[in-house]
Amino acid sequence: MIKKDVTITNNIGLHARPATFFIQKANSFRSSIWIEKEDRKVNAKSLLGVLSLGIAKGMTVTLIADGQDENEAIDGLIELVQTGFAE
């Protein structure tokens, strides 16, 4: 299991369209993936779960992955976030 922090940099945070891109990317990996904000942890492959965190621009979240492709999963999701979800 690995954990890495990432700061959301796109203008609207992890809502609607960016959240959909995030979940699609998370679902492309076999590992179990979670996103954690403060004291809440949700399945990163669940749209409702991710949206329920209310992640806005400038917030730092922790990505957690556990499984055979955990390193690729974390690196891929961090890259997606850092590119601003291609917005």
Side-chain angles (χ1 to χ4, degrees):
M1 180 184 332
I2 60 171
K3 292 182 173 188
K4 287 192 180 174
D5 291 339
V6 64
T7 301
I8 306 302
T9 58
N10 66 314
N11 288 331
I12 62 170
L14 206 50
H15 298 286
R17 198 171 75 108
T20 301
F21 290 145
F22 184 87
I23 287 141
Q24 287 172 343
K25 183 75 167 181
N27 277 304
S28 72
F29 299 103
R30 298 183 80 173
S31 293
S32 297
I33 306 169
W34 299 274
I35 185 167
E36 189 173 57
K37 183 187 120 193
E38 297 165 358
D39 60 343
R40 292 196 54 218
K41 181 167 89 170
V42 299
N43 183 343
K45 297 180 180 184
S46 163
L47 181 60
L48 290 177
V50 172
L51 291 175
S52 75
L53 293 177
I55 300 167
K57 180 180 180 177
M59 290 184 171
T60 299
V61 296
T62 303
L63 300 179
I64 305 162
D66 187 22
Q68 64 189 40
D69 57 356
E70 60 192 24
N71 288 312
E72 294 87 356
I74 292 292
D75 291 344
L77 290 168
I78 287 176
E79 181 180 346
L80 178 67
V81 169
Q82 290 176 339
T83 60
F85 301 93
E87 292 188 320

